[in-house]
Amino acid sequence: MNMMQVMQSVVWAVLLWPCLVSLGVPLECKDEQGSIILCASISKEKLLDRVIQHAELIYRVSEESCTLFEEMFVPFPMRSQRNQAGYTCATKAFPIPGSKSEIQQISDKWLLHSVLILVQSWIEPLVYLQTTLDRYDDAPDTLLKKTKWVSEKLLSLEQGVVVLIRKMLDDDMLTTSYYEQGVAPYALQPEVLESVLRDYTLLSCFKKDAHKMETFLKLLKCRQTDKYSCFLH
Amino acid sequence: MMWRDVGVTLILSLILPVVAQGARHTPPGKPKLTSCRSPDKETFTCWWEAGSDGGRPTTYSLFYHKENSETVYECPDYHTAGANSCFFSKNETSIWVNYNITVVATNALGNNFSDPVDVDVVYIVQPHTPENVTVGVLEDEDGPFLRVSWEPPSKADTRSGWITLIYELRVKLEEAEEWEEHRAGQQKMFNIFSLHSGGVYMVQVRCKPDHGFWSEWSTASYVIVPDYIPRERSMWILIAVFSAFIFLILTWIITLNRSSVKHCLLPPVPGPKIKGFDQQLLKKGKPEEVFNSLVVQSFPPRSTDYEDLLVEYLEVYVNEKQELMPEGKDLQDVGCLKSKSQSDNDSGRGSCDSHTLLMEKCGGVESKDESSYEEPELLQGQAGSWERLERGDSQVVDTPDSSDGRVKTWPLVFSPSIHGSSDNHHYGTLEMPKQHSTSEITYSVPDHLFPTSTSFPHHHHPEYRDSLGEYSEYRCSRSPSTGVAYHWEARHPTQAHSNFNIRNLERQKEATGLGLPPSRSMEYVEVQKVNQENQLVLKPLSSHGRGPFQRQREMAEAGQYCNYREKEGAEAERYPTQQQGKTTKDGPVATQLQESTCLTTSGYVDTAPTMPTF
């Protein structure tokens, strides 16, 4: 009996070992205050850099996808006519700054929130776009892969921005992924011109918004490093 | 009348063009927006081209409205960017918003709208060329290289991250035709390696935002690369010179030592060397002289010259038994010719030196030094029941000219008798090779010679005599150890022959103690070799199951070289030793052999290396 009890306690100790460790060691370190420097988390600057890289990459891939789609499915005369037949990009509930001067007047907080809203508004439409593209007969594999990749990366971008907000603004109140009302999915047949144009509009709007995210983040970074020189121009 | 018609025609012809001219005034043609560009993503400019004029002065105006609003604005600035252009300032420019732009041409007669164009400022960015392009030549351990550096166009705000520019540069030699392009990414500096020394290079740089158009190439910058020797080439030159030098030296050395090199690489094939053989004489074509020199005075051995000959036969004393063998005398004729009598180390002694095989060896008969061996016959017998063995001369010895079949039959012949066959009589016959008579050497040992038919150690002392009456006596004596050793006496035949293993049977009937005291113990010995003093080195045979008749192969296997002692005198009976120079006329002890005291496994006495001398 004694052996059994000893064995049980050992097993329990082994199982609960991670809990013990995690209780003992804080995950977040505060270097400035000189406390325990057991940093399991990443610094703000590095995080911002990574988020910017993410946004850049998303933009680049979305641009490639848009070009691919345009070449495959959109008839030539209709290219670059993005708001054809009323398919405009959905307006956001949140006012997004539209020019550099506007952006320069905006605060960091709003900048980050704008980015977050943008990201979150595109999560669902991209999923929808994936399903639509799958129904196309001769959609190239690369296009499908890229859109899939983008929708995955968008999720991780959202998480990164949430963390960034928490770190930079000490704002813990955010929840992730509240969905903006995006373009309503129409059950039209694929490859009909309407659906093609709709998808095309979706892609180009996303491309634009991806560029917005990238720019906002870069401006934010500039402000972090050298606040005054960013405004002078 | 006619004048009036002419006048009307004139007037009409004058008026009509005027009227017609007035009729060419139409509403203006359709203008067209050619391009819109933004240098910095903060402002942009649109250009259009006019359609047909319509004959009247036409004015152009540009209207736009933004993506989601219907408010139409007119172009704020028509002049900054030149004719037929519209410049949008920062305040009017919104990013990520589509502008729907239309140009209207208006004249007195009407107006005309161009096709609307959607413009998003982000996608029409085309920056200015990079500025301050500088090119310098820097030194490195591998050679000089170009370092190109530049700055972004002043209008583009890359510092705040508003625009991200990537750069590209191209290089070429001044006289070359094609440019070499390099992507520099977002960096503002680039190195170019592997230059032609002394060349003049041209460098140009341009840039592009990550979502727009390439700028124009900057103006070319020229740079001159100083002369230098590429290190790689100089190293190869050095290596080449060095190798050439070494090659020359080697060639010189080889040339000096031509002959020894040739000797080393192509070793000369040893030719036959016969002592006393003069090639020159042969070339002269006088064979008699040539061969005369080969003639050895002492050859063929005379009957008195016993020392030179090896008597190789076994004499078997046969009890009124058949004289099996014809009288063959000329053992000496047969056999291999060997110049062994001359103590020449070079010539083919090897094969005779080995103490194997009767068949293969060429017994050197003539001199003491010759290695010849005698096949010992295993003969066992009791006194009085000896059989005569005759041997063919050439049997034992290999050789080329040996007559057929002689020696070869020996083992076969002897084996049955050794193994204690049930026959009481073991017959072995020695055939004296008379000239080319076939020698079938068989001998048999009468059964009563064997105390027990199966056991080998016999105390018999076989004595062999050939049919010719010349015989060699072979005594078998038993060494104190197990096994039966044979020793034998060899006698010279009256006629000298050479190169027989068993040869030169000599008859000495009178001298033979044909009957050896039967009480002598006998053993089988094997002649291991002939040592330097022309003494036969014997070793006793240990195996009981193997008779001397198997010796031919077994001799080869017997590796053991036993101690030999030479005994003389009283022990000669048991351990006869071979004495040199001793005549065979003496009693039974004809030859004295050195006998080994240790046992071997081989089966016969091999008298290979030495000649018994008498």
Side-chain angles (χ1 to χ4, degrees), chain B residues 96-109:
Chain B
W96 305 299
V97 173
N98 280 351
Y99 281 76
N100 191 302
I101 299 173
T102 315
V103 176
V104 180
T106 313
N107 68 1
L109 295 177

Side-chain angles (χ1 to χ4, degrees), chain B residues 421-438:
Chain B
S421 61
S422 57
D423 296 339
N424 283 343
H425 292 279
H426 303 268
Y427 296 92
T429 56
L430 270 181
E431 188 178 32
M432 283 300 288
K434 264 187 197 179
Q435 290 157 338
H436 311 295
S437 59
T438 63

Side-chain angles (χ1 to χ4, degrees), chain B residues 220-237:
Chain B
S221 306
Y222 291 85
V223 67
I224 298 175
V225 178
D227 290 327
Y228 71 102
I229 297 176
R231 207 154 141 249
E232 196 181 304
R233 204 178 301 163
S234 65
M235 184 181 71
W236 284 116
I237 290 173

Side-chain angles (χ1 to χ4, degrees), chain A residues 59 83 98 100 211-212 218, chain B residues 95-96 118 120 157 164 211:
Chain A
Y59 169 74
N83 56 351
K100 183 180 175 190
H211 188 255
K212 275 187 213 174
K218 281 182 182 169
Chain B
I95 316 296
W96 305 299
D118 272 319
D120 190 339
D157 183 12
T164 309
H211 47 71

Side-chain angles (χ1 to χ4, degrees), chain B residues 394-587:
Chain B
S394 60
Q395 289 174 356
V396 199
V397 186
D398 71 324
T399 52
D401 52 333
S402 63
S403 37
D404 23 33
R406 293 189 196 170
V407 188
K408 300 175 172 106
T409 58
W410 275 34
L412 302 174
V413 171
F414 295 147
S415 49
S417 56
I418 286 300
H419 293 285
S421 61
S422 57
D423 296 339
N424 283 343
H425 292 279
H426 303 268
Y427 296 92
T429 56
L430 270 181
E431 188 178 32
M432 283 300 288
K434 264 187 197 179
Q435 290 157 338
H436 311 295
S437 59
T438 63
S439 59
E440 180 90 24
I441 298 184
T442 59
Y443 60 90
S444 61
V445 180
D447 189 38
H448 61 272
L449 295 179
F450 298 87
T452 60
S453 58
T454 56
S455 66
F456 255 174
H458 295 286
H459 306 268
H460 299 290
H461 203 79
E463 190 175 2
Y464 301 101
R465 189 195 319 186
D466 62 353
S467 59
L468 294 179
E470 294 181 347
Y471 56 89
S472 313
E473 289 185 353
Y474 296 83
R475 292 209 178 122
C476 301
S477 67
R478 186 175 58 178
S479 65
S481 53
T482 61
V484 180
Y486 277 105
H487 62 276
W488 43 271
E489 303 167 4
R491 299 171 186 244
H492 281 293
T494 52
Q495 297 156 13
H497 296 276
S498 63
N499 303 336
F500 303 125
N501 261 349
I502 301 173
R503 38 181 98 150
N504 297 328
L505 298 183
E506 192 174 5
R507 300 173 184 244
Q508 294 197 348
K509 288 183 181 156
E510 66 285 11
T512 61
L514 291 179
L516 291 179
S519 59
R520 291 184 193 177
S521 61
M522 289 180 297
E523 299 174 358
Y524 293 109
V525 300
E526 169 194 9
V527 176
Q528 180 73 25
K529 69 176 210 176
V530 182
N531 66 1
Q532 299 248 337
E533 291 101 25
N534 292 334
Q535 294 168 331
L536 288 174
V537 177
L538 291 179
K539 50 191 171 188
L541 304 170
S542 63
S543 102
H544 292 220
R546 301 180 346 185
F549 305 104
Q550 299 171 359
R551 69 247 173 235
Q552 287 196 347
R553 300 294 169 243
E554 293 160 359
M555 275 300 284
E557 297 160 4
Q560 203 156 7
Y561 191 82
C562 304
N563 287 335
Y564 291 83
R565 55 194 177 100
E566 188 173 1
K567 296 204 173 182
E568 301 181 18
E571 296 180 354
E573 293 177 355
R574 290 188 51 155
Y575 305 99
T577 55
Q578 184 182 14
Q579 291 176 356
Q580 300 178 1
K582 184 177 173 187
T583 66
T584 55
K585 301 262 189 313
D586 301 340

